[in-house]
Amino acid sequence: MSRIDGEALLAPLTRVAIAFAALCAFALDPFGMDRWVFAKELILVAAALVGVFVAPVGRTPRWLVGWLAGSFLILLVGAFFADAPWAQLWGRWPRYEGFVSLGAYALALAVGARLLGGTASAKETVRRGDYFHVVLAAGLFATAALAAGEVAGLRLFSSDLDRPGSLLGNASDMGVVGVIGLSLFLVRSLSRSDRRILAWNTVGGGSAIALITLSQSRGALVGAGVALAGAAIVLILSRESRRRHWVALAITTASMTALGAVAMVARLRDSGDVAAGSAMNRLPLWESALGVVATNPWTGAGASGFADAVTAFHDDAWFATTGVGRWIESPHSLPLQVLAAGGAPAGIVLVVLAVLAVRHILRHGLRGPFGASGLVAAAAATAALMFHFTSPGTVLLLSVILGASFATTEGSARTRRSEITKGVALAMWAIVLIAAMSADHALRDGFAALERSDVVAAQSAFNTVAALRPWDQDVPLMIAERAAHEIERAGTAEIMPTAQQWGDHAVAALPSSARALKASAVVAQYSGDIESGIQMLEHAAQLSPADPEVFHRLGGLKYLIGRHADAVNDLERAAELAPHNVDIATTLDYVRTSAVQ
């Protein structure tokens, strides 16, 4: 499986591999429950697999390989000390940022180095870089067009989110990708004036600005500001800067400022108090995240462990502000996300990465076709991620760019055996991701069967999901929650065994999950085991002491067994946590009246 000789075969394979690398951020599975992760990683793995047949122009440097090894070691240690080691080792729904997604991020660095990491001045590197930018511009344009359609009410992919996410699924993710695109195409247009690439620079840059604007993301606007400042620094340091370059930068800055203001006004108009208050919600969220870090300073909560750990640190106003039943799986800030996942060691590793990167640039400069634009993209995206979470939609693309920029020619020579080994490993990786996507389809079918009370079909689908994705401990949780919902909605007794099976599995796999306990408590309640339901909810109250749902159901169950005074106390606590919730207020009034009688 070594390089296929002959220009007729090599050029098409090179183009395919580079196209996959450029488009991985935009891939999605329109038929799955989780459309935005596995498809993107599959296209990235496909880029690497095709790249096995392509002559490499660079390799990942040893210092970066060592850094990655250290990072994965911290992941292992954090998982070992976590409450749900197996779940957190692989990663938790929806982003799976354990081995599943972090491994893909590391692979993206290698893909960028192999396909685009040549000497910056080499013709082959320039050709590959030009093609990458052309494909990326097309991807940005398609994403912007779809986002514009979503704003107009034409949603091809259903979503419960107010703002458009287009091919990224999340508006802020879309904005961060726009920031990366703006950085690349703006700096590229200021440093290269070739007419043959002017059109693609215009398409790419214009689409990136559209994505930032349509995302209505404050973090993306901050990132855009950093991108514009970075472009100005590049012009100041450039010996070839001309007046027209400064005029172009000024026009871009003015346009971005005006469009950003329009976007924020539109967000406030459309979302009202929710949009106005969401920025302030970051402060209590970050305070809660610091509580998670302070409790686990040396190991953190483990990769993807934040969602279960943070509930213990929410203040009493959290659910009243964000909504009853809502949960959050990230602190929405890159430094806090790293610290919450791996504690102080992870924070140190992040600082070490910055030091090693600066050292590499000072000693060896940058390789690949991006040059200064790659660094501007990294700085701008990092600025945006100070207010958002990481995801395959943003990190895969950025990793490809950085992999090319930090590539080297050092390392052992390629051999046929090593290429065969890489190809086989990548093919197996692709099969695992295809299985994960197939499991998503089966999960969707199982949920549909539950809705029509077809327990046999539902259980068959769920067993298929478990067989295709045995590593995913969120599957039992999702099934248990959906089954509990259907039991309450339809009161179908036939669902009870399925709900109990998956609820027990979820509680065993995720012992610190208040969500798993709440779902199992519903099953216990409707099966008549009120005492077990109360015990589960009391445990959930310890894990999530500000969750009004926990106290609402706990009060109801205590009322059913005659503990009226305790029921009133719990329901008053629920009403305190969610003062505008009509269901809680109604239940409290009923129990108070019954207690008096």
Side-chain angles (χ1 to χ4, degrees), residues 22 31 254 271 290 320-321 357 363 390 437 516 522-523 556 581:
F31 306 109
S271 303
L290 289 173
T321 305
R363 288 189 173 187
T390 57
M437 293 170 65
V522 172
V523 179
N581 187 281

Side-chain angles (χ1 to χ4, degrees), residues 26 78 183 261 266 377 420:
F26 309 107
S183 303
I420 291 174

Side-chain angles (χ1 to χ4, degrees), residues 67-279:
W67 180 84
L68 289 170
S71 299
F72 279 104
L73 178 61
I74 290 176
L75 169 62
L76 282 170
V77 172
F80 178 80
F81 287 100
D83 292 330
W86 184 254
Q88 293 175 218
L89 182 65
W90 293 102
R92 298 282 307 279
W93 188 89
R95 294 176 291 121
Y96 295 104
E97 286 190 321
F99 275 146
V100 173
S101 290
L102 297 182
Y105 301 164
L107 179 63
L109 290 169
V111 167
R114 183 182 183 96
L115 297 177
L116 300 164
T119 304
S121 59
K123 291 183 178 180
E124 178 67 10
T125 303
V126 173
R127 283 196 296 266
R128 292 188 180 194
D130 286 348
Y131 184 68
F132 180 92
H133 282 87
V134 166
V135 176
L136 179 60
L140 292 170
F141 179 81
T143 306
L146 184 59
E150 290 180 340
V151 170
L154 303 174
R155 292 208 170 190
L156 296 181
F157 312 110
S158 61
S159 172
D160 61 352
L161 301 177
D162 295 329
R163 292 183 289 151
S166 189
L167 299 177
L168 280 300
N170 177 280
S172 294
D173 275 3
M174 189 177 74
V176 175
V177 168
V179 166
I180 295 172
L182 175 64
S183 303
L184 295 181
F185 286 104
L186 179 58
V187 175
R188 178 179 165 86
S189 64
L190 296 177
S191 58
R192 288 185 61 184
S193 303
D194 309 27
R195 290 187 177 181
R196 62 189 180 87
I197 66 171
L198 177 61
W200 287 109
N201 282 347
T202 302
V203 170
S207 299
I209 291 174
L211 290 180
I212 295 169
T213 304
L214 293 173
S215 74
Q216 300 180 4
S217 167
R218 285 176 287 261
L221 289 176
V222 171
V226 173
L228 293 170
I233 293 173
V234 170
L235 272 184
I236 291 173
L237 298 178
S238 174
R239 298 177 180 178
E240 300 179 359
S241 62
R242 299 179 181 179
R243 182 178 178 180
R244 69 171 183 271
H245 294 150
W246 285 104
V247 171
L249 179 58
I251 292 174
T252 303
T253 301
S255 301
M256 193 70 256
T257 301
L259 291 172
V262 170
M264 288 299 98
V265 170
R267 184 174 179 185
L268 286 171
R269 181 195 64 202
D270 295 339
S271 303
D273 293 339
V274 174
S278 63

